[in-house]
Amino acid sequence: SSVRHRDIMGIVDFSVSSSVPRFQIVDIGNGRVLATHLVSHGRGSDPANSGILQMFSNRPGSNATSRGSFLTTNAYYGKHGRSRRLVGLDPDNDMAAPRAIVIHGADYVSRSMARTHGRVGRSQGCFAVSPRDISEVLACLDEGRLLFAGK
């Protein structure tokens, strides 16, 4: 009931490598993918830095990505520029807001890094996308939308 806008949502498929665009913006009403982006996962989810998410965590200080349904809330300007706060809607991610898990842009997420290193960089559990993609992602997933992440 907290998801006000149900026409467009984000889906992140963490079953594939971070070198592959795995963050889809989906138009539910028309049944099509509007955009696909590279996205990071947390350091704590991939201790070997392999580019493959190994585990999820909701624990503060874990630097890991959480799974489940997130509500997009307000946009703000932080150390990574324009970003959007997330609220976890499930027991597996209900610490997202206190952990400051957000969507933001980061230089360590780029096509060239994915091509050169076979992976993108890791976040502290946030959904980091390329700085060139952040405006589109935040516009599509404005306040009151659903983001779902799983493996």
Side-chain angles (χ1 to χ4, degrees), residues 28-52:
I28 305 268
N30 293 314
R32 63 188 182 108
V33 175
L34 299 175
T36 305
H37 302 283
L38 292 169
V39 66
S40 69
H41 54 256
R43 288 183 185 103
S45 292
D46 179 12
N49 199 13
S50 67
I52 304 288

Side-chain angles (χ1 to χ4, degrees), residues 12-16 22 39-41 53 56 65-66 127 149-151:
V12 180
D13 179 4
F14 283 119
S15 68
V16 297
R22 56 188 181 172
V39 66
S40 69
H41 54 256
L53 183 139
F56 292 103
T65 297
S66 296
F127 297 87
K151 184 172 179 179

Side-chain angles (χ1 to χ4, degrees), residues 3-148:
V3 179
R4 289 183 312 211
H5 306 291
R6 297 168 183 245
D7 55 339
I8 294 174
M9 71 176 287
I11 300 174
V12 180
D13 179 4
F14 283 119
S15 68
V16 297
S17 168
S18 68
S19 66
V20 177
R22 56 188 181 172
F23 188 159
Q24 287 85 36
I25 307 294
V26 179
D27 179 340
I28 305 268
N30 293 314
R32 63 188 182 108
V33 175
L34 299 175
T36 305
H37 302 283
L38 292 169
V39 66
S40 69
H41 54 256
R43 288 183 185 103
S45 292
D46 179 12
N49 199 13
S50 67
I52 304 288
L53 183 139
Q54 300 296 317
M55 66 189 123
F56 292 103
S57 179
N58 194 31
R59 189 174 46 81
S62 67
N63 289 330
T65 297
S66 296
R67 71 175 145 218
S69 299
F70 298 84
L71 176 67
T72 59
T73 66
N74 63 304
Y76 70 98
Y77 285 88
K79 78 177 194 179
H80 293 287
R82 192 154 177 258
S83 306
R84 186 167 306 283
R85 290 185 172 91
L86 299 170
V87 172
L89 300 176
D90 302 321
D92 283 345
N93 64 12
D94 62 359
M95 294 299 293
R99 290 179 60 208
I101 302 301
V102 303
I103 301 170
H104 67 77
D107 290 335
Y108 55 80
V109 180
S110 70
R111 290 183 184 124
S112 63
M113 176 173 253
R115 205 171 28 255
T116 303
H117 299 286
R119 60 171 171 67
V120 299
R122 298 170 296 164
S123 67
Q124 293 180 318
C126 292
F127 297 87
V129 299
S130 168
R132 68 179 258 193
D133 296 335
I134 191 65
S135 291
E136 178 185 11
V137 171
L138 296 184
C140 290
L141 296 181
D142 56 338
E143 193 167 345
R145 296 199 184 273
L146 183 67
L147 170 65
F148 180 79

